[in-house]
Amino acid sequence: MYNQPPGPDRSAQRQAAGRRAALTICTIADTAAGLLVLWILLFLLDANQANVFVKFVHGMADWLAGWSQDIFTMDTEGLRIILNYGLPAVLYLLIGHGIAARLNRA
C-alpha cells in the first residue's frame, strides 16, 4: 500500500465540508425567515389565533424576532408587524447567505 499525498484529497474534503456547512447555514436562515414571513402573512390574513398551527408559528416568530420587538412602534398594527418581523427575516437571510458564501469560497 502506498501513501496518498495529503494535498488534493484533503482539499476536496475541506471543500465538501464547507459546502455542507454552507448548505446547513442557508437552510437554517431560510427556515427562520420563512417562519417570520409566514407569521406576517397569517397575521395580515386574520388567521384564527386559537389554531394550534397559528400559535406555533406565532411562538416561533416571537422567539426568532425577540430582539427586534418594538423597534418600530406604529399606530397601524399591520405595519408594525411587517416591520418588526420583516427586519429580522431580511437580516437572517443576508447574514446566513453571506456566511454561506464565505464558506463556499474557502
Side-chain angles (χ1 to χ4, degrees):
M1 218 181 255
Y2 68 94
N3 290 333
Q4 291 181 341
D9 190 46
R10 237 177 243 266
S11 176
Q13 288 175 345
R14 263 193 304 252
Q15 284 180 340
R19 278 191 221 108
R20 283 192 302 274
L23 180 62
T24 301
I25 290 170
C26 277
T27 302
I28 291 169
D30 292 347
T31 302
L35 281 167
L36 290 165
V37 170
L38 182 58
W39 167 242
I40 292 170
L41 290 174
L42 289 172
F43 180 84
L44 293 176
L45 296 173
D46 282 331
N48 179 5
Q49 301 290 320
N51 182 281
V52 175
F53 176 71
V54 175
K55 284 183 183 180
F56 170 76
V57 173
H58 186 199
M60 291 300 295
D62 278 346
W63 183 76
L64 289 167
W67 59 269
S68 70
Q69 292 303 304
D70 297 329
I71 287 179
F72 303 100
T73 54
M74 310 293 188
D75 290 334
T76 307
E77 186 72 10
L79 183 58
R80 188 182 65 77
I81 293 293
I82 290 170
L83 293 174
N84 285 324
Y85 289 91
L87 174 66
V90 170
L91 288 177
Y92 288 145
L93 285 175
L94 290 174
I95 292 169
H97 285 264
I99 292 170
R102 281 285 293 224
L103 288 172
N104 275 331
R105 275 188 249 137

